[in-house]
Amino acid sequence: MSRKSTDSSRFSFTQWNRSLSIRSSKNSRSSASSGHHSTTTPSRKGFSLSSLRGTVQPELSKRLYKLIKSENNLINAHSEAARERVSIATQLSEWGEQTADESISDVSDKIGVLLSEMGEQEDNYAHALDDSRSILKTIRNTEKSVQPSRDGKSKITDEIARLKAKEPESTRLVVLEQELVRAEAENLVAEAQLTNITRQKLKEAYQAEFLATIERADKQIILAKHGLRLLQLLDDTPVVPGDTRPAYAHASQARQILNDAEDDLRDWRHNGSLLLDSDNTSSVPKSPVAGNNQVDTMPVLPAGKGKGVDRGREAGTVVTANGA
């Protein structure tokens, strides 16, 4: 079995058929043992005037501008969590190898593969959040474009009020009132555009975020359940000093569990019922979890569950969400 380095790229499930290990090469391991890990830290950005933009934002777009900046912090946090997850997965695998225990070495390496893919899912989620954030920028930009229209109308209105108080007979009042009519018409169009874009893009942005959250959760649950299956292959029966533990004989089952996990991720699809029918948005949407209060259970079985592979002769332990 070939070993794949994580230095150049994150492990992907599409590569599982070629490699079932995330252990780096000997050179990488030696550098890791000296305190240098394979993951790279994000480069610091140089000084930018973008940090000053918040002080010159129009009043109408200030709140959304701040929200978008906060979203960027959240995205960076998820990206960092993804990098740390992959780093930990690699360290776990390399630690397991140096134990010189064949069973621990194999199981820890396979668990490392699953943890690495969890990191990949976290990174995908960060990208989805960034896409959602970009959609919100459309609303912010529209708010910025509407602000001058509001300011122009307000300025003319204030000028008319000032003239009426000081020079009620001024001929300029007629001109200003005509300008106000035009300004109100322009503002009416701008406000209609703003409310249309706000509703459309708000729905689009958070629909994308919620769907990404569901995908991340579902796929990490898939990976975690297969991780529990892997742990069942590790014999933790206590031995007395002098006894020899039986040889590890589950390498093929461990490989099959990774294949099962790959198949489950590849077959995963969004539940189409989660998306509201555009022709039925006037009614209150039904809860997607209504009446579904059952605790999910998963039988932890030997490899090959329902994939045309023999389940094995033994029945696995049933693991529930509360650990019973």
Side-chain angles (χ1 to χ4, degrees), residues 196-230:
N196 289 338
I197 289 179
T198 299
R199 288 168 180 263
Q200 176 191 353
K201 296 303 180 180
L202 179 67
K203 185 175 181 179
E204 184 180 339
Y206 283 99
Q207 178 174 280
E209 179 169 334
F210 289 140
L211 288 175
T213 301
I214 291 170
E215 178 175 356
R216 167 176 167 260
D218 284 352
K219 288 185 175 180
Q220 290 197 344
I221 287 172
I222 289 172
L223 292 165
K225 287 183 175 181
H226 286 295
L228 291 174
R229 294 177 66 207
L230 278 172

Side-chain angles (χ1 to χ4, degrees), residues 128-175:
L129 289 180
D130 194 39
D131 292 339
S132 174
R133 176 175 175 266
S134 297
I135 297 172
L136 291 178
K137 288 181 179 180
T138 304
I139 304 176
R140 182 204 63 193
N141 294 339
T142 305
E143 289 179 339
K144 291 173 66 175
S145 69
V146 170
Q147 187 69 58
S149 173
R150 288 188 180 183
D151 292 343
K153 186 181 75 169
S154 178
K155 183 178 180 180
I156 297 172
T157 301
D158 292 343
E159 181 66 14
I160 290 174
R162 187 187 66 80
L163 278 178
K164 284 183 177 181
K166 291 186 176 182
E167 303 176 45
E169 301 299 327
S170 174
T171 57
R172 180 165 167 70
L173 279 173
V174 177
V175 177

Side-chain angles (χ1 to χ4, degrees), residues 37 66 76 97 126 161 204 210 311:
H37 300 301
K66 184 177 180 180
N76 290 337
E97 185 179 29
E204 184 180 339
F210 289 140
R311 290 173 178 260

Side-chain angles (χ1 to χ4, degrees), residues 252-266:
S252 60
Q253 287 179 291
R255 288 195 297 270
Q256 183 59 48
I257 288 173
L258 293 190
N259 291 335
D260 292 344
E262 181 184 7
D263 291 343
D264 287 345
L265 287 185
R266 184 175 56 247

